[in-house]
Amino acid sequence: MSKIVIMDHPLIKHKISLLRDKNTGSKEFRELVSEIAMLMCYEATRDLPLKEVEVETPLAVAKTQVINGVKVAFVPILRAGLGMVEGMLNLVPAAKIGHIGMYRDPETLAPKEYYCKLPSDIASRETYVLDPMLATGGSAMDAIDALKQRGVKNIKFLCILAAPEGLKALSEAHPDVPIYCAHMDERLNSHGYILPGLGDAGDRIFGTK
Ligand code: PRP
Ligand code: URA
């Protein structure tokens, strides 16, 4: 089973309440997704390795620490994962960005990959797969399969809301991939939507419904 980290920060809880509200418009929804992603990035990068360096302050030499040569990539699952990129980049501006396009067949809920463009050195990067919604888990599992096929070994998955069904499926399919989830919801409905959820994340981010 994967390592699963569920966030318990009050700022994240507050922002998720605003996200869920059906009266929250696209502009505010996008801002909230970005802010939550930034707070999650802080937690998900907690284990980055450090090395000691010396820095001259105006007064003395300080022995201090910097991140030790880790190269990072963020890979949003299109479309909704795009909403998380800016918040992540606020904290790790040197990260490279890949894109994986997936949509769920509305009848079968099976994910279909329609786009994949990744940094050429992705295999050597610590890679954070981003998608606000983990519902059945199909999209996340296929996106991570696609990365592993290209040699990526060090993968983390970040989502804002997860259904228990998706969390279980993803953690069984990819037990080596830690899952960072801002909140675990109750269940899926018969159309594969997360309850109580927040609706269709892509439509709410991009105002397409
Ligand atoms: C949503 C969401 C995830 C997927 C989750 O995308 O952003 O990618 O559904 O569902 P799953 O866990 O059951 O696979 P959607 O297919 O609606 O595409 P969109 O982001 O382009 O709207
Ligand atoms: N995708 C969404 O955008 N919302 C859900 O509730 C499930 C999948």
Side-chain angles (χ1 to χ4, degrees):
M1 294 286 280
S2 303
K3 168 180 161 180
I4 296 175
V5 180
I6 313 275
M7 309 285 140
D8 66 353
H9 198 288
L11 285 174
I12 293 184
K13 289 180 190 294
H14 181 85
K15 289 174 192 297
I16 288 176
S17 303
L18 299 173
L19 262 193
R20 290 190 193 279
D21 189 334
K22 66 179 185 189
N23 296 314
T24 297
S26 285
K27 176 177 180 290
E28 192 186 353
F29 193 92
R30 275 196 297 275
E31 289 165 358
L32 289 163
V33 167
S34 187
E35 289 162 5
I36 293 168
M38 186 167 70
L39 294 166
M40 294 183 72
C41 182
Y42 176 77
E43 203 51 51
T45 51
R46 192 172 275 287
D47 57 2
L48 286 177
L50 293 167
K51 68 176 178 192
E52 297 275 336
V53 293
E54 289 190 347
V55 170
E56 276 187 51
T57 81
L59 300 175
V61 173
K63 284 193 193 310
T64 184
Q65 295 179 317
V66 294
I67 290 165
N68 188 13
V70 179
K71 294 189 295 177
V72 169
F74 299 140
V75 179
I77 301 179
L78 308 181
R79 292 174 298 164
L82 284 174
M84 298 174 73
V85 172
E86 189 188 336
M88 302 286 295
L89 281 174
N90 283 343
L91 295 194
V92 189
K96 290 198 173 169
I97 315 292
H99 295 88
I100 295 187
M102 296 267 176
Y103 71 91
R104 295 198 310 178
D105 183 296
E107 300 300 323
T108 65
L109 301 181
K112 306 255 189 266
E113 183 182 315
Y114 61 86
Y115 187 75
C116 184
K117 183 81 179 169
L118 300 168
S120 55
D121 61 352
I122 186 87
S124 64
R125 288 185 175 262
E126 176 156 321
T127 298
Y128 295 66
V129 178
L130 312 175
D131 194 327
M133 308 304 276
L134 181 67
T136 65
S139 305
M141 287 190 279
D142 279 17
I144 291 169
D145 276 337
L147 291 171
K148 286 185 174 176
Q149 279 163 23
R150 289 162 175 86
V152 188
K153 292 192 178 57
N154 198 345
I155 302 175
K156 293 175 176 171
F157 179 76
L158 274 65
C159 62
I160 295 180
L161 292 187
E165 297 90 329
L167 211 52
K168 180 169 181 293
L170 178 58
S171 120
E172 285 174 1
H174 294 291
D176 56 312
V177 174
I179 302 170
Y180 295 83
C181 169
H183 188 83
M184 166 100 109
D185 261 18
E186 287 166 22
R187 64 184 174 89
L188 293 177
N189 72 10
S190 56
H191 303 290
Y193 275 83
I194 298 175
L195 292 178
L198 49 73
D200 187 305
D203 283 341
R204 295 198 65 188
I205 289 171
F206 296 107
T208 40
K209 211 166 248 176

